[in-house]
Amino acid sequence: MDKDLIESAFAEFGITTEIRCEQAFAICEKYDIPKMDIARYCNRHDPKIKIRGCQLGCFK
């Protein structure tokens, strides 16, 4: 996982405390970052970055 790349991508998208699935997918596509790396980063970040608007309906 490239933590620095994810941090800079999140900064560009204005993500600080929560992320929507569509934002995560856009970041994955633009920066060629695996979706699981985004999920790991969100879970390990302190404080955790909440996933909102899940396209599978898992997170609301």
Side-chain angles (χ1 to χ4, degrees):
M1 175 174 66
D2 189 339
K3 182 181 172 189
D4 294 333
L5 179 60
I6 295 172
E7 285 176 353
S8 66
F10 277 26
E12 180 181 327
F13 276 72
I15 296 163
T16 57
T17 59
E18 62 183 52
I19 187 170
R20 300 185 59 79
C21 274
E22 62 229 23
Q23 292 172 311
F25 283 33
I27 289 170
C28 292
E29 181 75 24
K30 182 175 181 176
Y31 294 97
D32 196 30
I33 300 170
K35 291 176 185 85
M36 284 306 299
D37 284 357
I38 298 289
R40 280 188 200 99
Y41 179 83
C42 290
N43 285 328
R44 292 178 183 167
H45 189 269
D46 188 26
K48 291 184 179 180
I49 297 174
K50 300 285 185 180
I51 299 169
R52 303 280 187 219
C54 178
Q55 292 172 322
L56 298 174
C58 298
F59 306 98
K60 296 181 181 192

